[in-house]
């Protein structure tokens, strides 16, 4: 079965809760074959028009992949990585490889008439346990966060994530935080804890914003005051030595990995015991093939995996298919306020219920993209670039 076409689509979406310049496009990739079977992948990236970068990356590599046998996911992954990682393998080439890999697994499943999880070892569980992000959309005061957190629990969730200090955009800000913003963050998390009671897991995302002393102080204060269940990305992702410093001084469990790419970036985290949880992102770290490998590496170190999932619907489907098969799975992320945006591009909506996701069991990813919705949402600038 030969690959005949690879088409990236940068489509507009309308995600509530974050600034438009950060998060207003998805990047989906369609692969067609000479047997009439097509598959879909995703390499959505943000902030700051990241989906244009990844979509453009797909345009650059596609002529090298067209004509190959769609079954050869391992070979095609290595070809993309080896050919385009010469300036570094961190992020862009692995996001491009992710979209291609996910679409090829979708094709493989559809060709064989099986869901992808059957091809990765079969079901380890019947449903995928979730944690909620985006549940606080519109909240600004601690009281509003506490109210929305209680509502989220009432909707069936027992774990939820937030960044109570977010406000400068998701980029490195020098590692500092004003005293006022820091205290407001503590107040928000305390209100959330009060709203949800003692048993719900509160996960804190630091978005890699801090330096070592700030990360240590903030993580320890939140753990002491509000018993947080993890402190995510305390530092920018590049320095493992700095992460080790934080690790040694922090009582809260540490989670890292949404900006670690491929199996190799996770070696020091696992070898040096730098995290209690890892959170690779299936549309950035290398797709279904790579997520499964990283999960198995973590299994050997008795570290749970909890994929980062703050992009689009095919990321949810791809991550969930892998996590159906993984013994050391913890939880999959999803944004509750974005569920309408996930479902908009699908013919049938996801079955989210009681803090879990039930996959359809249909072949491939188990979801069908609505091509008409894609065509209607193509970004105007992207249409000019991609022709
Ligand atoms: Mg994060």
């Amino acid at each position: 079965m030969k690959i005949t076409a690879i088409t990236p689509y940068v489509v507009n979406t309308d995600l509530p809760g974050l600034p438009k310049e950060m998060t207003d496009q998805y990047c989906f990739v369609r692969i067609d074959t000479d047997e009439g079977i097509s598959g879909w992948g995703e390499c959505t990236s943000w902030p700051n028009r990241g989906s244009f970068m990844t979509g453009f990356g797909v345009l650059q590599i596609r002529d090298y992949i067209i004509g190959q046998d769609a079954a050869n996911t391992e070979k095609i992954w290595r070809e993309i990585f080896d050919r385009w990682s010469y300036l570094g393998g961190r992020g862009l080439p692995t996001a491009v490889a992710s979209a291609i890999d996910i679409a090829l697994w979708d094709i493989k499943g559809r060709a064989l008439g099986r869901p992808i999880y059957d091809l990765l070892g079969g079901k380890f569980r019947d449903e995928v346990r979730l944690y909620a992000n985006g549940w606080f959309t519109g909240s600004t005061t601690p009281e509003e966060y506490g109210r929305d957190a209680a509502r989220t629990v009432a909707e069936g969730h027992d774990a939820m994530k937030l960044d109570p200090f977010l406000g400068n955009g998701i980029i490195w800000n020098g590692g500092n935080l004003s005293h006022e913003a820091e205290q407001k963050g503590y107040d928000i998390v305390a209100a959330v804890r009060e709203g949800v009671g003692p048993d719900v897991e509160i996960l804190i995302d630091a978005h890699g914003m801090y330096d070592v002393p700030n990360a240590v102080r903030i993580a320890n204060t939140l753990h002491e005051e509000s018993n947080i269940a993890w402190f995510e990305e305390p530092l920018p992702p590049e320095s493992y030595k700095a992460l080790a410093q934080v690790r040694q001084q922090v009582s809260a469990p540490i989670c890292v990995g949404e900006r670690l790419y491929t199996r190799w970036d996770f070696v020091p985290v696992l070898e040096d015991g730098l995290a209690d949880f890892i959170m690779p992102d299936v549309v950035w770290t290398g797709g279904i093939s790579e997520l499964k490998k990283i999960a198995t590496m973590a299994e050997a170190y008795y570290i749970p995996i909890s994929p980062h999932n703050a992009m689009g619907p095919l990321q949810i489907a791809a991550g969930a298919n892998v996590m159906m098969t993984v013994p050391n799975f913890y939880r999959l992320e999803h944004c509750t306020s974005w569920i309408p945006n996930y479902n908009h591009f699908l013919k049938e909506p996801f079955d989210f219920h009681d803090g879990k996701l039930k996959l359809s069991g249909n072949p491939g990813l188990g979801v069908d993209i609505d091509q008409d919705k894609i065509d209607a949402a193509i970004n105007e600038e992207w249409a000019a670039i991609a022709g």
Side-chain angles (χ1 to χ4, degrees), residues 73-74 76-78 81 89 93-95 97-102 105 120 260-267 270 278-298 305 307 318-319 322-323 326:
T73 41
E74 284 289 326
I76 290 171
W77 194 100
R78 274 315 294 233
F81 187 75
T94 59
S98 298
I100 303 295
D101 183 81
I102 293 166
W105 275 101
L120 296 174
L260 298 178
Y261 308 104
T262 76
R263 67 208 85 162
W264 296 287
D265 272 6
F266 284 90
V267 168
L270 296 169
I278 62 164
M279 49 168 319
D281 185 313
V282 72
V283 303
W284 293 344
T285 204
I288 285 171
S289 301
E290 201 64 14
L291 185 62
K292 177 69 174 177
K293 288 173 183 170
I294 294 166
T296 304
M297 286 167 57
I305 184 167
V322 180
M323 292 306 116
V326 165

Side-chain angles (χ1 to χ4, degrees), residues 152 194 254 271 358:
T152 304
E194 195 178 329
I254 296 288
E271 285 274 295
K358 173 109 176 135

Side-chain angles (χ1 to χ4, degrees), residues 40 42 46 63 82 90 135 204 220 239 272 288:
W40 285 86
E42 178 175 343
W46 51 56
D63 287 347
D82 292 344
R90 303 197 69 254
W135 51 270
I204 300 299
N220 282 336
S239 174
D272 297 335
I288 285 171

Side-chain angles (χ1 to χ4, degrees), residues 161 205-207 232-233 258 279 308 333:
K161 191 163 92 177
D205 191 350
H207 283 113
E232 170 181 324
E233 279 200 308
E258 76 181 63
M279 49 168 319
H308 178 251
E333 182 174 18

